[in-house]
Amino acid sequence: MTVDQISTLSLLAVVVVLFIWGRWRVDAVAMLALMASVFVGVVAPEDAFKGFGHPAVITVAAVLALSSALARSGVVDLIAAWIERFASTRLTQMAALSTLGGAMSGFMNNVGALALLMPVALSMAKRTGYSASLILMPLSFATILGGLVTLIGTPPNVLIAQYHQRITGHGFELFDFAWTGVPMAVVGILFLTLVGWRLLPSSSKGGAAGDAPFDIDSYLTELVVPKEAKVVGRTIDEIAEEMETPPQFDGIVRGRNRVIRRLHIAKLEVGDVLLVHGDTEAIEELVSKGFKMVAAKDLKTEDGESPIDTDALAIVEAVVAPRSWLEGRTPALVTLRARYGINLLAIARSGAPIRSRLRDARFQAGDVLLLQGPRDQINDTVRALGCLPLAYRNLSLEPRRALVPILLFAAAIVATVTNVIPAAVALTAAVVALVFLRGLTMREVYEAIDWQVIVLLAAMIPVGGALETTGAANVLAGAIAAVAWSADPHLILGVVLILTMTLSDIMNNAATAVVMAPVSVGLAEAIGVNPDPMLMAVAVGASSAFLTPIGHQNNLLVMGPGGYRFGDYWRMGLPLEIILVAMGVWLIPWVWPFT
């Protein structure tokens, strides 16, 4: 191997390890890889930032903006309301929601599709009386499967199409992915609806959550002992004996920082703050006994007057979305009440207990927050925080606001399919038209674009190019071909598919596509077959992250509301990936022959 090949492969190995480690943001790791590639000489300085103008990057940004416009149009709310009205059983609800989620994800950002449908799923679960954990993971997987169907369904498809354009002179068209994506998505959704949910562990298949809209292990909250409360002078043990299902009592904070742990003998005093882990019903029962939620009080002005009536306050539950600006910050640092006029009542986290004070707990993606604030502002505030509400709101539909983004999006699709203009230009033109027709503001466009994904793509594209220009991709491909030199091409395609799936389960799917695309083409050249089926295998594999919550944003998004553990995902995800591999090994070569 040459020095450049050794440098490129060594750098790639470090990047993969950093992606898997997860301690640093993926966009920061990508930029680090790009700068390192320039310094070691495998990426020319003048080519370092060409990724920011790459058609794949522009296409992804435009799709994210158009997805936001479609979400705001209210059309999805009408469809969801219709489903909720006529789908009366768990099976019909799961089938309808999964199908709708898959169909939406083919044409809009799959995270946005899940965000729109998750409140509907929670509402249905509450109304029908079954655990929300039965439907949230299947819905997440269905929205991921929907991305397999079109070029714009997921960033890996865009990247593969652009890479194919560069090496062959012609790219994959908008619906070329549908020949393999539709059968896989249909079979996958059928599996999720009929079988998959039954594979979830019994701990996630509990009964209905009662008045709570979803199942979670527990909230961390703080309760204060007010003056003249009946609980003054009593011990925690005495109070717990009176409760049917008492919560977990973690301690009593007395004074500034003194924490009392010997709860069986400590008698409560006025001003004590009780640290509690419990579900909403247990917390409500404690409030009925005289405790008061620390943050559950009227919002006060500087002179001590309440600017709003308590009847104007609302309590909502929201989940911290991946890459929300809240991640890594504490409630004390964010100062929600001072900045936004809302109170943080409690935090729920699935799979990891919160041991610190509520004010010192660092927010994580997937955390479920119980928030209190002005009824007419709280939904906008939740969005400003980078969170997603977990209560379904039936929005009023304004015909003009709904039709404009739909017509513009349809026009962009037609222009792309008929090859009038490239997808990047057509979709960007639709965004510009929306802005001038007041369907979106420029601020909403910038808010809709996931800049972490954009930076990741722009930085990794030159790094992936170095794999090809230095010949490092051919070295990797040659090593794989040497091991399986006499194997059937179908078996080698299966290896590519499994390897790509594995990487996608532990690192970003776009980065996986960037890394595996040149390797798969090199492998195709080494065994003397058409590269098209190998690239399609990479596209399918990179968009099939079902084994872990970190493999895809959607999986992480449902972890808290569904009450899932890290190890729950493989129970349903592993058989789903086996099905997709079995289908892909014969379906992909049938559509895209080896010769």
Side-chain angles (χ1 to χ4, degrees):
M1 288 193 296
T2 66
V3 173
D4 284 349
Q5 290 172 346
I6 294 174
S7 299
T8 302
L9 292 176
S10 300
L11 178 62
L12 177 63
V14 172
V15 169
V16 171
V17 169
L18 291 177
F19 276 136
I20 296 172
W21 185 36
R23 187 70 175 270
W24 295 342
R25 287 169 52 113
V26 291
D27 50 346
V29 172
M31 288 301 296
L32 178 64
L34 177 60
M35 293 298 99
S37 298
V38 173
F39 290 140
V40 299
V42 296
V43 173
E46 60 271 19
D47 296 333
F49 301 110
K50 285 186 176 180
F52 287 91
H54 196 278
V57 176
I58 303 302
T59 300
V60 170
V63 169
L64 291 172
L66 288 171
S67 297
S68 176
L70 292 172
R72 295 169 187 269
S73 69
V75 173
V76 176
D77 294 271
L78 285 183
I79 299 173
W82 184 85
I83 291 176
E84 189 170 15
R85 180 179 178 184
F86 292 102
S88 56
T89 67
R90 179 170 59 197
L91 181 62
T92 56
Q93 289 175 358
M94 193 174 299
L97 279 177
S98 298
T99 302
L100 177 59
M104 289 168 56
S105 296
F107 297 94
M108 65 182 294
N109 176 252
N110 42 28
V111 178
L114 177 64
L116 287 172
L117 294 179
M118 188 161 59
V120 184
L122 292 168
S123 174
M124 286 182 177
K126 178 182 178 181
R127 179 170 57 85
T128 311
Y130 61 86
S131 171
S133 64
L134 296 176
I135 194 171
L136 287 184
M137 192 184 294
L139 178 59
S140 171
F141 285 7
T143 55
I144 297 173
L145 287 168
L148 300 174
V149 174
T150 68
L151 180 148
I152 61 175
T154 183
N157 288 2
V158 180
L159 290 167
I160 294 299
Q162 291 296 328
Y163 185 77
H164 189 264
Q165 169 77 33
R166 187 164 64 82
I167 65 172
T168 66
H170 62 278
F172 292 123
E173 303 296 337
L174 181 68
F175 291 109
D176 282 350
F177 295 87
W179 295 103
T180 54
V182 169
M184 288 184 170
V186 169
V187 172
I189 290 174
L190 284 174
F191 165 76
L192 295 173
T193 303
L194 300 176
V195 180
W197 63 272
R198 304 175 191 274
L199 303 177
L200 293 174
S202 57
S203 59
S204 292
K205 293 195 292 186
D211 293 333
F214 52 86
D215 290 338
I216 53 175
D217 286 341
S218 66
Y219 275 112
L220 166 67
T221 192
E222 298 178 358
L223 301 170
V224 67
V225 179
K227 293 181 180 179
E228 302 178 357
K230 297 179 180 179
V231 295
V232 173
R234 305 186 66 191
T235 66
I236 294 299
D237 285 354
E238 293 173 348
I239 296 171
E241 288 176 359
E242 299 174 353
M243 303 178 67
E244 183 176 350
T245 54
Q248 174 185 329
F249 298 99
D250 293 339
I252 300 171
V253 180
R254 182 167 295 169
R256 285 194 170 186
N257 297 308
R258 182 188 172 195
V259 179
I260 301 173
R261 300 293 183 186
R262 302 177 68 183
L263 303 180
H264 62 287
I265 59 173
K267 294 190 176 185
L268 292 171
E269 299 178 2
V270 174
D272 282 352
V273 176
L274 187 63
L275 307 181
V276 179
H277 271 92
D279 58 24
T280 51
E281 291 181 347
I283 294 171
E284 288 175 359
E285 186 175 355
L286 288 172
V287 171
S288 68
K289 291 182 175 297
F291 290 96
K292 184 177 182 181
M293 299 185 78
V294 169
K297 53 188 176 183
D298 296 351
L299 308 177
K300 304 291 185 180
T301 59
E302 292 183 358
D303 59 3
E305 295 296 325
S306 176
I308 55 176
D309 190 341
T310 54
D311 292 336
L313 290 174
I315 294 179
V316 301
E317 284 151 313
V319 60
V320 179
R323 296 195 284 274
S324 165
W325 68 270
L326 289 180
E327 279 193 90
R329 293 178 167 87
T330 64
L333 181 63
V334 173
T335 58
L336 294 176
R337 188 179 303 145
R339 285 189 183 185
Y340 298 99
I342 64 172
N343 296 314
L344 174 66
L345 303 184
I347 302 175
R349 180 171 300 160
S350 176
I354 304 174
R355 300 300 184 191
S356 63
R357 290 285 306 272
L358 183 64
R359 67 189 182 191
D360 299 323
R362 292 191 178 275
F363 294 114
Q364 296 181 10
D367 283 354
V368 180
L369 311 182
L370 194 64
L371 301 169
Q372 177 195 51
R375 191 179 303 276
D376 59 345
Q377 300 175 14
I378 196 163
N379 287 313
D380 291 334
T381 302
V382 166
R383 187 173 63 188
L385 293 173
C387 299
L388 300 175
L390 293 177
Y392 174 53
R393 296 181 298 125
N394 189 13
L395 303 178
S396 59
L397 183 64
E398 301 175 17
R400 182 179 181 277
R401 187 175 178 86
L403 288 177
V404 169
I406 292 174
L407 292 176
L408 287 173
F409 187 75
I413 295 297
V414 171
T416 301
V417 172
T418 56
N419 292 318
V420 175
I421 50 178
V425 178
L427 295 168
T428 302
V431 174
V432 173
L434 264 175
V435 171
F436 281 96
L437 292 174
R438 298 182 180 180
L440 278 176
T441 66
M442 285 304 298
R443 180 177 181 178
E444 289 171 340
V445 171
Y446 290 127
E447 289 176 349
I449 296 174
D450 190 335
W451 293 105
Q452 188 176 29
V453 171
I454 299 302
V455 172
L456 170 71
L457 292 175
M460 286 301 297
I461 285 173
V463 176
L467 281 172
E468 184 183 3
T469 57
T470 62
N474 289 330
V475 171
L476 286 177
I480 298 175
V483 173
W485 64 273
S486 62
D488 185 89
H490 291 80
L491 179 60
I492 297 178
L493 184 140
V495 171
V496 171
L497 192 53
I498 293 171
L499 179 58
T500 308
M501 280 183 173
T502 303
L503 286 176
S504 188
D505 279 318
I506 54 180
M507 59 186 264
N508 181 272
N509 57 5
T512 299
V514 170
V515 171
M516 288 300 300
V519 174
S520 67
V521 171
L523 187 57
E525 293 174 352
I527 62 176
V529 300
N530 179 17
D532 289 2
M534 296 298 180
L535 284 174
M536 277 294 171
V538 172
V540 171
S543 300
S544 301
F546 303 112
L547 298 186
T548 67
I550 62 175
H552 197 281
Q553 297 175 57
N554 284 14
N555 293 345
L556 186 59
L557 204 54
V558 299
M559 189 175 186
Y564 303 119
R565 306 289 184 180
F566 192 97
D568 289 344
Y569 289 82
W570 69 269
R571 296 173 180 269
M572 190 167 69
L574 182 59
L576 178 58
E577 289 196 1
I578 292 173
I579 291 172
L580 294 179
V581 170
M583 290 186 66
V585 166
W586 68 266
L587 180 61
I588 293 175
W590 182 70
V591 177
W592 307 96
F594 286 120
T595 56

